[in-house]
Amino acid sequence: MMWDRLGPPLGPATPQPPLAMPDLRAHRAGNTGVPYVWRFEGKAEGPHVAVVALMHGNEPCGAVALDRLLRRGLRPTRGTWTLAFANTDAAAGGRLFGPAGTPARYLDQDMNRLWAGARASGPPPGHTHGREQARVAALAPLILTADLLLDLHSMQVPSPALTLCGRSPQGRALAVRLADPGWVVADDGHADGRRLIDHPRFCGPGAEATAILMECGQHASPAAGAQAWRGLIRFLALSETLDAATVRTLLGEINAPALPPRPTVVDVTHAIQAQTDEFAFVRPFQGLERIATAGTLLALDGKQAIHTPYDDCVLVMPTRSARRGQTTVRLGRVL
Ligand SMILES: [Zn+2]
């Protein structure tokens, strides 16, 4: 066998209903002047912690977790929480009023490629068009002031959950301490635009704050909802803004161990971009497969063959259907 799976077995034995988008109307008002953004302050001083859900409108897991946090009335004991449902327009299929349409990843532009010029005050320069651009401009002052940020996502493929920490050393350290998900992936982001976790506030020389992106599982998988909730509890626990007794209670409710095992860290060396609209993998990879031998054929991009560049190459987040210019898969080494 040329490749094997490093992650845990996938999927429950008994079928569960797919993860659905929660009804978010109760959260629309917010309390920050920006719809769907909530802020709460603890009695004691502490860090500003931001949690972002629905950066992509078709990824319900983060919305499930934030909805639960808000409905339970949980509050920080120290510091500040900013809780943002980012692309609610896309989540409602472009129809915020009347019956919702099918959730979309985005309406005009991928919101997680628009953070290059986003500033904490005022709209990003040269970025004033499109619904996602406008939303990024509204969110930037509220979340680009965070000391710690968790961006909750899910994936097209049924890959085990993983945390993306970008190239920030403090992001990697946080993801390793979090240890849930059990995979940490250090990568460069995308050629077609900057992610929130790659914003200069969180990444690069002099970055003063820390951000990680949690990929909780496949979009509609119930496990993704469970991962987002568990990951959120652990993140708030690490930030020391949620008291230890509440953390113990919340983890106890879901039978989660207090201390997860040490995660596996993958250093991404290559991001493969489709050069044609005919990019196709030679088999249905799910992500986190380790390919033993260098030179193994992975995909055909039009007539060009894509091979693994070295032994024990790990595939990260292969896409199901890629168009020209999109990232199709990242390749990395276990550290
Ligand atoms: Zn996403």
Side-chain angles (χ1 to χ4, degrees):
M1 194 165 170
M2 300 292 281
W3 53 280
D4 63 76
R5 167 161 296 285
L6 293 176
L10 294 172
T14 47
Q16 290 177 271
L19 188 69
M21 190 69 70
D23 184 342
L24 300 177
R25 283 173 295 186
H27 310 309
R28 183 170 192 277
N31 64 354
T32 59
V34 176
Y36 294 103
V37 184
W38 294 82
R39 180 168 284 176
F40 302 106
E41 297 194 2
K43 291 206 171 70
E45 294 238 331
H48 176 196
V49 174
V51 182
V52 177
L54 291 178
M55 179 77 82
H56 293 132
N58 62 337
E59 300 177 0
C61 63
V64 166
L66 278 194
D67 175 58
R68 192 172 298 166
L69 192 77
L70 286 163
R71 286 184 192 280
R72 289 189 64 152
L74 292 166
R75 298 288 182 266
T77 42
R78 296 172 61 235
T80 301
W81 290 352
T82 298
L83 312 174
F85 299 91
N87 202 346
T88 44
D89 286 15
R95 286 184 243 169
L96 272 185
F97 304 102
T102 306
R105 182 176 169 88
Y106 59 85
L107 298 175
D108 299 318
Q109 286 172 285
D110 187 331
M111 190 183 275
N112 211 21
R113 303 288 182 273
L114 301 179
W115 295 91
R119 294 176 299 174
S121 58
H127 291 293
T128 50
H129 302 296
R131 284 165 283 188
E132 278 80 14
Q133 296 282 16
R135 185 70 175 155
V136 164
L139 292 173
L142 294 166
I143 61 176
L144 290 178
T145 45
D147 302 304
L148 291 165
L149 183 140
L150 173 65
D151 190 11
L152 291 164
H153 288 250
S154 57
M155 299 179 270
Q156 271 186 328
V157 289
S159 165
L162 54 95
T163 302
L164 295 173
C165 60
R167 288 298 179 199
S168 136
Q170 70 269 26
R172 182 186 297 197
L174 176 67
V176 168
R177 278 183 70 207
L178 191 71
D180 185 0
W183 289 87
V184 174
V185 175
D187 72 341
D188 286 314
H190 299 271
D192 54 343
R194 195 175 284 195
R195 302 173 298 193
L196 174 56
I197 63 165
D198 303 320
H199 186 275
R201 179 165 178 85
F202 306 113
C203 198
E208 49 196 309
T210 308
I212 54 175
L213 188 164
M214 192 177 290
E215 295 281 4
C216 296
Q218 194 170 26
H219 296 326
S221 132
Q227 173 67 61
W229 176 240
R230 211 173 56 243
L232 173 59
I233 297 167
R234 293 198 196 282
F235 175 76
L236 295 174
L238 271 188
S239 75
E240 300 182 351
T241 57
L242 184 59
D243 69 281
T246 305
V247 169
R248 273 196 302 277
T249 302
L250 294 172
L251 291 177
E253 285 173 3
I254 51 176
N255 296 315
L259 278 179
R262 193 175 166 74
T264 305
V265 181
V266 176
D267 188 48
V268 170
T269 56
H270 298 68
I272 307 296
Q273 262 191 300
Q275 306 298 315
T276 73
D277 288 331
E278 281 91 52
F279 188 100
F281 288 102
V282 296
R283 66 184 84 205
F285 293 115
Q286 296 186 317
L288 300 179
E289 290 91 351
R290 182 179 57 187
I291 317 279
T293 312
T296 303
L297 180 65
L298 290 181
L300 291 170
D301 190 0
K303 292 198 172 97
Q304 200 199 341
I306 310 288
H307 297 96
T308 51
Y310 42 78
D311 288 351
D312 291 323
C313 178
V314 179
L315 309 191
V316 178
M317 293 168 65
T319 52
R320 278 284 152 82
S321 54
R323 290 192 307 278
R324 194 157 73 96
Q326 288 180 326
T327 305
T328 58
V329 66
R330 293 109 154 153
L331 308 177
R333 286 190 173 95
V334 171
L335 291 182

